[in-house]
Amino acid sequence: MASEIETSAMRRAVVLSAFGLGGTSPNPPVGCVVLDRDGHVVGEGYHQRKGEAHAEVHALAAAGDRARDGTAVVTLEPCNHHGLTPPCRQALLDAGIARTVIGLIDPTSREEGGAARLRAAGVDVEIGVLADTVRQVLHPWLHALTTRRPHVTWLYEIDAQGQVTSPGEVLVQRHRTGVDAVVDVHDRITEGRPGAHGPTAFTLSAGTMTGDPGDVLATLYEGGTRSVLIAGRPDAARRLLTAGLVDRIVSYTVPAAASGVGTPVPTSLPEGFDITTIDATEGWVRVDATPSPSRPRYP
Ligand SMILES: [Zn+2]
């Protein structure tokens, strides 16, 4: 069982991990909080881009000697492989960490995972703490891993006549920072946050969303993209929709013009999607939706 302090630390780690969204791919966004033996925070960190330090290494560096006999709280299982950086499970052992609290097991763990190796070295390991909360940040990355294509969000506006239109620049700016790539009204694909990704680990291998959308997404995946925001023309987005390649919808509706009696009901949400959240913000109503469970998610 995780203690109350550890659960709070996991919530903090999840928030930190989200700062990595739109920068870490093809690596996952991960956050870490290190507690000393008395349960005080002595270090925090998150992974920023591939090729640079992992979350655990940032948090351990901040903690220094105070990590000894302490607890590392980390959203995803510490890595156990020598990639561009040394394995985090070794960094945790070297720092004298006595306990590790993990949100989700890494489905890409090579050989045996970091959790098993830490246990074998005598570290107390707790797995599955706030897993659903952790999944809210890791979902696009996990989804991309399963489908071998980036997770796709379609962003659009619904105008006063109830018509679906391309999102305005304010909305695109608001949503592009958390994704790897954005498709604009000219079908051009650009980095969500320009220059955010590790230059050797990430390349936008497709310049435009033209041709078969499944092929373009597969090419983007090969180049390291794990999440895409479709902020283009509705007709272009509907091509992806028809192909079953839209995983999330974020729509903003402006106050409606008075609709006349006898007019057709505006279709603001495509068939096969369920609303997950609705809220009012800055004069808009925002509606988020995901494919209905009854609809096959992975064509
Ligand atoms: Zn690592």
Side-chain angles (χ1 to χ4, degrees), residues 12 41 47 64 133 139 182 274 290:
R12 173 70 179 163
V41 175
H47 186 42
T133 310
H139 172 74
V182 179
D274 292 334
T290 53

Side-chain angles (χ1 to χ4, degrees), residues 54 56 78-79 85-88:
H54 290 184
E56 299 92 318
C79 64
T85 53
C88 288

Side-chain angles (χ1 to χ4, degrees), residues 150-156 166-167 169 172 175-176 179-192 204 206-210 213 216-217 220 225 227-234 236-237 239-240:
H151 181 269
V152 173
T153 299
W154 178 20
L155 174 69
Y156 60 80
S166 312
E169 200 47 33
V172 178
H175 286 275
R176 70 178 303 143
V179 294
D180 294 327
V182 179
V183 180
D184 68 16
V185 287
H186 306 291
D187 288 332
R188 283 184 306 232
I189 303 172
T190 53
E191 198 174 2
L204 279 181
T208 56
M209 183 55 82
T210 47
V216 176
L217 290 176
L220 285 172
T225 296
S227 58
V228 171
L229 181 73
I230 306 296
R233 302 181 321 278
R239 286 176 56 229
L240 280 99

Side-chain angles (χ1 to χ4, degrees), residues 163-181:
Q163 298 303 309
V164 172
T165 60
S166 312
E169 200 47 33
V170 172
L171 294 181
V172 178
Q173 290 302 328
R174 187 182 292 174
H175 286 275
R176 70 178 303 143
T177 55
V179 294
D180 294 327

Side-chain angles (χ1 to χ4, degrees), residues 193-265:
R193 258 190 289 142
H197 296 83
T200 57
F202 180 88
T203 166
L204 279 181
S205 38
T208 56
M209 183 55 82
T210 47
D212 180 76
D215 289 348
V216 176
L217 290 176
T219 304
L220 285 172
Y221 183 88
E222 288 306 311
T225 296
R226 296 294 179 265
S227 58
V228 171
L229 181 73
I230 306 296
R233 302 181 321 278
D235 59 310
R238 285 198 183 95
R239 286 176 56 229
L240 280 99
L241 194 66
T242 307
L245 297 171
V246 173
D247 307 303
R248 187 166 77 116
I249 280 173
V250 177
S251 69
Y252 285 82
T253 303
V254 300
S259 55
V261 175
T263 57
V265 178

